[in-house]
Amino acid sequence: MPRKRGLSVAVPMSHPMEVAKSHLDHIEELEQPLEGPKQPPPPIEKPAPSVRPQPRSTRDEDPYKPEKYEVEIFRLMEETIDGKTKPSRFTVLDNAIDVIRQQLDVYEYAVYTLLYRFSYGYSRCTCAFSYGQVARELHISSKKADQVLAQLEAHKLIETLFPPFKKFRGKVYKVKLPREFVREHEAELTVTEAFQTLREMGLL
């Protein structure tokens, strides 16, 4: 049966205008343009976190404090010769170093006196040196300087107190004063000529 043109819903004759109006409203709603996507709300700005000063890490501080190793060099060097106390200016270089010299080779003696100069020469029993610095000071190779420093430690003339600190300083060595070393090793050094000379002078 052919479909009749017109409204698909039967329209009662009692209210023909109301039904037609409702269909027209529906058609108008379909023809309205679609709304575009809504813009997102503006971001809420968070207050910047307050920057608090960070405590300095102890790892950034050099543990070696030279002032803790100060000594009174002239008191250490005071000597009595022939019953008379000599002014300390006559004994700036410990006389017992002659005994040390006879125990070391030329390289060991050179490095030891260098460390001696930069420790007791500055009224301290310590000094900070890298093997590279030793090499430059004495015009020897870095490898040789490293070997000699190890040999002096084996002789117990120096002792490592602190390892190198970053690139700011080398190892910190405690340098044994010659007379201290001689007294500690008197039994082995008695036979040396220098030791006998110092004993005759009444210095040992």
Side-chain angles (χ1 to χ4, degrees):
M1 180 176 178
R3 186 178 179 182
K4 292 182 180 181
R5 299 177 66 182
L7 298 174
S8 60
V9 181
V11 180
M13 293 306 294
S14 59
H15 304 288
M17 294 305 295
E18 292 180 9
V19 175
K21 184 179 179 182
S22 65
H23 279 276
L24 288 173
D25 292 341
H26 179 67
I27 292 170
E28 287 179 359
E29 289 177 1
L30 294 176
E31 291 177 352
Q32 293 297 324
L34 296 175
E35 292 184 4
K38 293 182 179 180
Q39 294 294 330
I44 300 174
E45 294 185 2
K46 296 181 179 180
S50 58
V51 180
R52 295 182 180 178
Q54 297 295 324
R56 188 174 180 181
S57 172
T58 54
R59 294 183 180 179
D60 294 333
E61 294 183 4
D62 189 347
Y64 172 50
K65 308 299 180 187
E67 61 276 9
K68 292 184 177 181
Y69 299 92
E70 291 180 354
V71 295
E72 294 187 33
I73 185 65
F74 293 126
R75 285 185 177 276
L76 291 174
M77 297 294 186
E78 194 174 84
E79 293 180 335
T80 302
I81 301 175
D82 296 331
K84 297 179 181 179
T85 301
K86 298 293 183 180
S88 55
R89 63 190 177 90
F90 289 117
T91 56
V92 171
L93 190 63
D94 190 341
N95 288 322
I97 201 168
D98 292 336
V99 182
I100 303 296
R101 176 173 46 79
Q102 292 185 357
Q103 305 304 305
L104 307 177
D105 65 25
V106 63
Y107 291 103
E108 292 169 343
Y109 185 68
V111 174
Y112 175 75
T113 53
L114 177 70
L115 301 183
Y116 180 96
R117 167 69 182 89
F118 282 91
S119 55
Y120 293 98
Y122 289 85
S123 297
R124 292 192 300 269
C125 62
T126 60
C127 63
F129 259 95
S130 67
Y131 60 81
Q133 288 175 294
V134 171
R136 286 191 296 273
E137 290 283 347
L138 299 178
H139 306 288
I140 59 178
S141 69
S142 296
K143 182 178 180 181
K144 185 65 178 178
D146 193 25
Q147 290 175 345
V148 174
L149 287 167
Q151 289 165 355
L152 290 176
E153 286 209 73
H155 288 314
K156 297 184 179 180
L157 278 165
I158 62 174
E159 175 189 356
T160 299
L161 294 184
F162 297 96
F165 182 69
K166 300 182 179 181
K167 294 184 179 180
F168 299 116
R169 65 155 175 77
K171 286 183 179 181
V172 174
Y173 295 102
K174 181 177 181 181
V175 182
K176 186 79 64 160
L177 194 64
R179 64 184 61 196
E180 291 175 345
F181 176 82
V182 171
R183 286 169 183 159
E184 291 174 4
H185 299 82
E186 183 173 349
E188 350 170 351
L189 299 173
T190 304
V191 296
T192 64
E193 182 182 349
F195 184 92
Q196 293 297 330
T197 301
L198 292 178
R199 173 158 285 180
E200 289 171 4
M201 293 173 64
L203 301 179
L204 293 174

